Amino acid sequence: MKQICITVSNVDKVIAFEWIVEGLSNKYNFIFILIGKKRSYLNSYLREKGIETYEIEYRGKRDAPKVVSKIFFYLRKKKIDVIHTHLVEATLFSLLPAKLLGIKKRIYTRHHSDYNYKYSPKGIKYDKISNWLATDIIAITEQVRNILVEKERVAPKKITLVHHGRDINYFENFELEKVQKLSDKYNPGNKGPVIGVIARQTHWKGIQYTIPAFAEILKYYPDALLLLANAHGDYEPTIDSLLKQFLPENSFVKVKYEYDISSLYQLLDVLVHVPIDEVVEAFGQVYIEALAAGVPCVFTLSGIALDFIKDGQNAIVVPYCDSPSIVKAILRILQEDEFRSMLIKNGKHSVQEKFGLDTFLGNLSDIYEKP
């Protein structure tokens, strides 16, 4: 049985890794290296499943040499057939020792698109180092593959396109008792309709255009609630300033993190996800999750949405950076029952057809087996 080492940095709970373990542990022996804060949710889950984990504390750049050294000596003790890295620090810190130790299959999943070109030019050199150290790169969308080939000159044969897969049943088969518990927690006044944003608070997610749009929605629905989930990030001070400027205190709620995401979606009447251009979102799992959960959505086209979202069929597509269009889209969903039902039905069908978990796990296994 092949031994697969998965390394990941600065995460707490990532359900995709749970699905990988549950779906492929019959074929592979998994080992995880977790870099960042210790005692994460993911670490607890893996240990409960009997998966070997090695946690390495990482607090910043000064810890980098120590982390690389620990990974080197840990990998040297193991007979690793494949190393598969996720996110920037894990990729940089793991691929170099893996190469030095002669691990022949070195994969990294590219989870960002052109972020460094827009916001952090110094990061481009680290992307290029990772590209060189890897034997295989997983691109999660065509846009990511294009950036790798066209901007970073990676050989196309080194890249495999693998869309993230989701367990669609996880979002469909929610428990009413858990949904009610979250409603009591985040919406005790039973306000409605609830407009949701599930996005880290950074500039390119476009939340700054949803807040003034919601201010207009309050004119039509004075008891509406804006639910901002995953409400943390480098743009949080600006978001807080906009909330104070545009909205009454009792009209919004911030949720820093909620583990029970499938129940959280059921609190929403409409979800709004409006990144500011077509490539800044490398994938955008919220596009898939929200539709799988049966939530009618207002989107801009970015990342994976370019591959399957059709305006007026499975969601409403609005122009980038356009608050008035967001207002019109939300109102149409709230006011046209037949149209809303059609979006929900078509949205579920479109994700079931394209992003099933079995397809994802099969594609991942093919890469692990590829010579």
Side-chain angles (χ1 to χ4, degrees), residues 11-55:
V11 301
D12 184 29
K13 176 180 171 67
V14 181
I15 196 168
F17 292 124
E18 299 176 26
W19 291 332
I20 289 170
V21 166
E22 291 171 10
L24 293 178
S25 286
N26 61 327
K27 294 182 66 175
Y28 305 109
N29 181 35
F30 286 106
I31 295 173
F32 277 74
I33 298 175
L34 307 179
I35 302 164
K37 292 182 180 179
K38 289 191 173 183
R39 293 179 291 278
S40 66
Y41 183 100
L42 179 58
N43 179 63
S44 299
Y45 166 83
L46 293 169
R47 290 183 179 276
E48 286 178 8
K49 293 293 181 179
I51 303 296
E52 181 177 341
T53 64
Y54 180 37
E55 280 193 304

Side-chain angles (χ1 to χ4, degrees), residues 158-365:
K158 202 174 191 177
I159 305 167
T160 304
L161 177 66
V162 178
H163 295 318
H164 288 316
R166 314 304 287 164
D167 184 352
I168 304 303
N169 290 332
Y170 172 79
F171 297 98
E172 290 182 330
N173 299 332
F174 54 88
E175 297 179 24
L176 290 175
E177 184 177 338
K178 291 182 177 180
V179 174
Q180 186 59 54
K181 184 177 179 181
L182 288 190
S183 181
D184 293 341
K185 182 178 181 180
Y186 299 128
N187 187 13
N190 198 29
K191 287 175 166 288
V194 179
I195 311 302
V197 174
I198 301 180
R200 182 166 47 89
Q201 295 189 342
T202 195
H203 174 265
W204 57 267
K205 292 287 187 180
I207 303 168
Q208 61 270 31
Y209 300 101
T210 300
I211 292 170
F214 182 75
E216 291 299 311
I217 295 298
L218 286 173
K219 296 177 182 178
Y220 298 86
Y221 298 93
D223 206 33
L225 180 71
L226 178 64
L227 191 153
L228 299 163
N230 206 10
H232 60 92
D234 59 353
Y235 208 51
E236 187 175 1
T238 300
I239 296 299
D240 287 344
S241 177
L242 290 171
L243 290 170
K244 185 176 181 179
Q245 176 184 348
F246 283 99
L247 303 181
E249 285 187 13
N250 65 349
S251 67
F252 65 90
V253 60
K254 294 177 63 178
V255 179
K256 186 171 183 178
Y257 198 85
E258 173 53 58
Y259 287 137
D260 188 4
I261 190 68
S262 65
S263 296
L264 187 69
Y265 276 112
Q266 299 307 314
L267 303 185
L268 310 181
D269 295 291
V270 181
L271 181 127
V272 179
H273 186 63
V274 286
I276 63 173
D277 66 40
E278 66 179 13
V279 296
V280 72
E281 185 77 86
F283 189 85
Q285 297 188 54
V286 68
Y287 288 115
I288 299 169
E289 294 177 353
L291 297 185
V295 182
C297 295
V298 177
F299 292 144
T300 56
L301 296 181
S302 188
I304 194 60
L306 289 155
D307 291 0
F308 81 107
I309 295 298
K310 305 296 182 185
D311 182 34
Q313 296 182 30
N314 53 7
I316 296 183
V317 176
V318 296
Y320 305 109
C321 309
D322 190 335
S323 294
S325 293
I326 296 171
V327 175
K328 292 177 183 177
I330 293 172
L331 290 176
R332 186 179 181 193
I333 289 172
L334 294 176
Q335 294 172 357
E336 297 183 24
D337 293 345
E338 289 186 11
F339 177 69
R340 180 172 64 251
S341 297
M342 181 269 291
L343 290 183
I344 292 171
K345 179 181 177 181
N346 290 348
K348 285 187 175 184
H349 177 73
S350 64
V351 295
Q352 288 170 341
E353 191 174 50
K354 195 173 179 69
F355 302 104
L357 186 60
D358 289 343
T359 300
F360 167 70
L361 294 176
N363 291 335
L364 195 58
S365 183

